[in-house]
């Protein structure tokens, strides 16, 4: 049980980290260029709307059963929430602040990292929270295609008609989701009261 | 320490914002000498802020040109141009997530100043705007009063020895009781800074107190320009007369204040 929880956490943490490493820099670079940002948002949004079981089925066909397929699916779903929330967070910076940032004449990436990223942080954190909660739920489904984590316990419980296993697995998922919610809410609260 | 102040020349500069019928700035021709403090007055919507923002290219001209030391501003590298120009605006110019010292070190960091030089400069400037460095360096913007935040904003605009200073209603959000004190401080700091200054305000008395010359903006056009004395004694048109001189009593009061300013200079 403990190892399943840790495996579940690892699956989700890696997925959210990879998705953030892709989505946050892209959003920082593209937030002021709607011409590029809009098609990327549309693409990620389309990916997000693909039913998760269908996506997993396709991935299993090409990547095979196991954690890798689940991980790819988790990243694909996490990208959208993180990308959109970062874009929205940057655009929500008051116009005066953005102008002053521009008027200082900082190089573009220094301006993004020192000014835009921290000011957009509450929105980015809420995107990470949504991505994390989604991942925790979706990773459970991954048990169906041979992924590790709490899903394997739930689906084994199904297969064996073992109610104890089922309930344990399900409670584990709920506990993780609540923990994730709590951690990110706490982080958001801290960044909001600068 | 600083390079020589910029001179600025507008040549038939026009700006039209998409979706608005009237131009924000129309056919503006104006020279500002190196080291001059030009006060720009007008109602809101008169184009005075747009005029300012053309110089650091927050707004790009539709027609005409703006030149600095005889060179068209579009020929400058944008970042370098902006780093050589200090800019301070009314209200929320400071970044909430950075301390006062961090707000002030953004440009020096970019210019690659050594840490000690930046720190020494920040301390000197905070002292110049009468904020005790040991207390205020580490303060966050939300821990400052309105007047203190404006002082920090002006210090930040001055930190990298700008050759031109653009101030857009820097005291607009400040308590009227505090304004005279801030105005005096600004004058003292500017005498030290040896820079050219464009100062936008809707407060005529502020313009009369601070400006070497005053430009009156009206509906995107330059209505009048001249020294405070010349505009006050011989307003060239009815609009300028109305704005600057007001009624008989106000006119006498302002002339008396100008006499006093000139006596003290």
């Amino acid at each position: 049980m403990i190892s399943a929880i840790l495996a579940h956490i690892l699956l989700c943490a890696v997925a959210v980290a990879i998705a953030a490493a892709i989505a946050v820099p892209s959003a920082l670079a593209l937030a002021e260029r709607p011409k590029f940002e809009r098609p990327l948002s549309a693409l990620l949004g389309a990916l997000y709307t693909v039913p998760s079981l269908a996506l997993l089925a396709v991935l299993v066909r090409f990547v095979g059963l196991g954690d890798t397929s689940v991980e790819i699916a988790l990243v694909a779903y996490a990208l959208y929430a993180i990308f959109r929330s970062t874009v929205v967070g940057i655009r929500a910076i008051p116009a005066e602040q953005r102008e002053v940032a521009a008027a200082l004449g900082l190089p573009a990436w220094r301006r993004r990292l020192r000014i835009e990223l921290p000011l957009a942080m509450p929105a980015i954190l809420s995107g990470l929270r949504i991505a994390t909660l989604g991942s925790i739920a979706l990773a459970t489904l991954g048990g169906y295609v041979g992924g590790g984590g709490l899903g394997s316990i739930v689906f084994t419980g199904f297969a064996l008609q073992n109610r104890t296993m089922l309930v344990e697995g399900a409670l584990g998922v709920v506990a993780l989701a609540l923990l994730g919610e709590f951690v990110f809410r706490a982080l958001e609260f801290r960044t909001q009261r600068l | 320490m600083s390079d020589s102040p910029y001179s600025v020349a507008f040549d038939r500069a026009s700006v039209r914002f998409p979706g608005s019928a009237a131009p924000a700035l129309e056919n503006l021709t104006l020279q500002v000498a190196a080291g001059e403090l030009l006060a720009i007055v007008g109602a809101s919507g008169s184009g005075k802020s747009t005029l300012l923002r053309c110089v650091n290219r927050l707004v790009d001209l539709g027609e005409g040109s703006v030149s600095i030391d005889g060179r068209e501003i579009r020929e400058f590298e944008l970042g370098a141009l902006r780093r050589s120009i200090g800019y301070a605006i009314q209200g929320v110019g400071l970044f909430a997530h950075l301390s006062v010292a961090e707000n002030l070190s953004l440009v020096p960091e970019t210019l690659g100043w050594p840490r000690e030089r930046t720190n020494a400069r920040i301390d000197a400037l905070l002292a110049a705007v009468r904020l005790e460095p040991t207390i205020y360096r580490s303060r966050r913007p939300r821990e400052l009063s309105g007047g203190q935040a404006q002082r920090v904003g002006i210090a930040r605009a001055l930190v990298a020895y700008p050759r031109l200073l653009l101030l857009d209603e820097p005291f607009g959000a400040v308590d009227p009781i505090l304004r005279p004190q801030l105005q005096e401080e600004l004058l003292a700091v500017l005498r030290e800074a040896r820079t050219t200054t464009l100062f936008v305000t809707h407060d005529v008395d502020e313009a009369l107190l601070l400006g070497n010359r005053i430009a009156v903006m009206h509906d995107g056009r330059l209505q009048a320009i001249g020294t405070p004395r010349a505009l006050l004694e011989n307003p060239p048109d009815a609009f300028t007369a109305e704005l600057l001189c007001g009624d008989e009593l106000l006119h006498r009061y302002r002339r008396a204040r100008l006499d006093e300013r000139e006596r003290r200079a």
Side-chain angles (χ1 to χ4, degrees):
Chain A
M1 182 67 187
I2 297 291
S3 74
I5 290 178
L6 291 178
H8 204 96
I9 293 175
L10 188 66
L11 264 176
C12 297
V14 169
V16 172
I18 292 175
I22 298 169
V24 173
S26 329
L28 279 172
L30 299 182
E32 285 150 87
R33 299 184 194 132
K35 222 198 281 179
F36 298 96
E37 179 273 322
R38 257 188 241 121
L40 188 57
S41 278
L43 179 74
L44 295 177
L47 205 55
Y48 188 71
T49 54
V50 175
S52 38
L53 261 181
L55 181 65
L56 280 173
V58 172
L59 284 167
V60 167
R61 167 73 183 73
F62 290 102
V63 187
L65 292 169
D67 281 339
T68 315
S69 287
V70 179
E71 198 71 89
I72 293 173
L74 293 183
V75 171
Y77 281 110
L79 282 172
Y80 183 65
I82 302 174
F83 183 79
R84 283 304 305 166
S85 65
T86 309
V87 168
V88 168
I90 291 169
R91 294 205 180 137
I93 297 172
E96 296 93 337
Q97 296 244 319
R98 293 156 62 83
E99 281 205 340
V100 171
L104 288 177
L106 306 187
W109 274 104
R110 186 185 282 268
R111 187 188 75 229
R112 289 178 187 133
L113 293 179
R114 290 284 324 252
I115 296 170
E116 291 179 1
L117 183 68
L119 289 176
M121 196 48 87
I124 296 174
L125 282 172
S126 78
L128 289 174
R129 177 171 52 82
I130 292 164
T132 303
L133 296 184
S135 295
I136 290 171
L138 182 58
T140 315
L141 213 53
Y144 195 62
V145 294
L150 290 164
S152 63
I153 293 185
V154 172
F155 282 102
T156 310
F158 260 127
L160 300 178
Q161 294 287 303
N162 182 332
R163 189 168 292 178
T164 315
M165 275 183 94
L166 254 175
V167 170
E168 269 182 14
L171 283 179
V173 174
V174 171
L176 272 189
L178 288 175
L179 179 71
E181 172 83 13
F182 175 76
V183 168
F184 278 103
R185 288 283 183 195
L187 284 173
E188 282 172 50
F189 183 71
R190 277 195 52 180
T191 56
Q192 268 162 357
R193 48 184 308 270
L194 277 170
Chain B
M1 184 79 95
S2 93
D3 295 307
S4 55
Y6 282 147
S7 63
V8 185
F10 291 77
D11 184 22
R12 285 162 292 156
S14 295
V15 173
R16 188 182 290 272
F17 291 121
S20 88
L25 204 62
E26 196 175 4
N27 207 17
L28 178 89
T29 298
L30 169 67
Q31 283 88 35
V32 188
E36 184 177 5
L37 197 164
L38 179 70
I40 301 150
V41 288
S44 55
S46 63
K48 56 194 196 305
S49 291
T50 306
L51 183 164
L52 210 60
R53 288 140 50 94
C54 287
V55 183
N56 59 0
R57 294 191 55 196
L58 289 174
V59 172
D60 272 320
L61 292 179
E63 290 155 56
S65 68
V66 178
S67 305
I68 277 174
D69 286 351
R71 216 173 125 207
E72 224 274 317
I73 50 170
R74 272 169 287 201
E75 293 171 23
F76 290 78
E77 193 266 309
L78 184 59
L81 175 78
R82 287 174 170 170
R83 288 191 294 276
S84 70
I85 299 176
Y87 182 58
I89 59 169
Q90 171 178 339
V92 289
L94 300 174
F95 299 112
H97 64 292
L98 299 176
S99 71
V100 166
E102 285 166 338
N103 264 288
L104 262 64
S105 41
L106 287 168
V107 174
E109 266 173 25
T110 305
L111 294 172
W113 287 15
R115 195 68 243 171
E116 312 79 67
R117 183 181 180 203
T118 307
N119 285 338
R121 177 69 176 153
I122 289 172
D123 286 349
L125 269 177
L126 287 180
V129 295
R130 301 219 248 160
L131 295 172
E132 171 55 39
T134 50
I135 297 173
Y136 288 97
R137 286 186 67 99
S138 53
R139 289 267 172 105
R140 299 268 163 177
R142 70 176 159 85
E143 300 168 319
L144 302 173
S145 71
Q148 290 167 343
Q150 288 303 349
R151 291 181 170 114
V152 175
I154 286 171
R156 183 176 63 186
L158 284 166
V159 70
Y161 302 99
R163 304 172 67 179
L164 172 65
L165 196 56
L166 306 176
L167 303 176
D168 194 347
E169 303 260 7
F171 307 134
V174 176
D175 191 330
I177 295 170
L178 256 159
R179 284 178 81 137
Q181 190 191 343
L182 281 172
Q183 289 159 353
E184 290 297 331
E185 281 173 35
L186 179 71
L187 274 178
V189 171
L190 288 183
R191 265 195 291 275
E192 197 91 342
R194 304 189 152 278
T195 181
T196 310
T197 306
L198 301 187
F199 185 101
V200 161
T201 178
H202 66 264
D203 178 343
V204 170
D205 290 303
E206 191 163 87
L208 289 168
L209 175 72
L210 298 176
N212 299 130
R213 282 191 303 161
I214 296 176
V216 179
M217 295 295 295
H218 181 49
D219 288 344
R221 293 170 161 278
L222 179 64
Q223 186 76 29
I225 183 164
T227 62
R229 174 67 61 191
L231 290 184
L232 215 47
E233 306 274 328
N234 296 303
D237 58 87
F239 179 85
T240 307
E242 169 84 32
L243 181 73
L244 260 61
C245 309
D247 58 25
E248 175 58 29
L249 193 63
L250 190 59
H251 194 191
R252 270 169 42 198
Y253 163 75
R254 283 178 172 160
R255 284 162 65 169
R257 289 212 14 163
L258 194 58
D259 291 340
E260 190 198 325
R261 175 187 163 186
E262 285 172 0
R263 257 201 315 279
R264 285 197 300 164

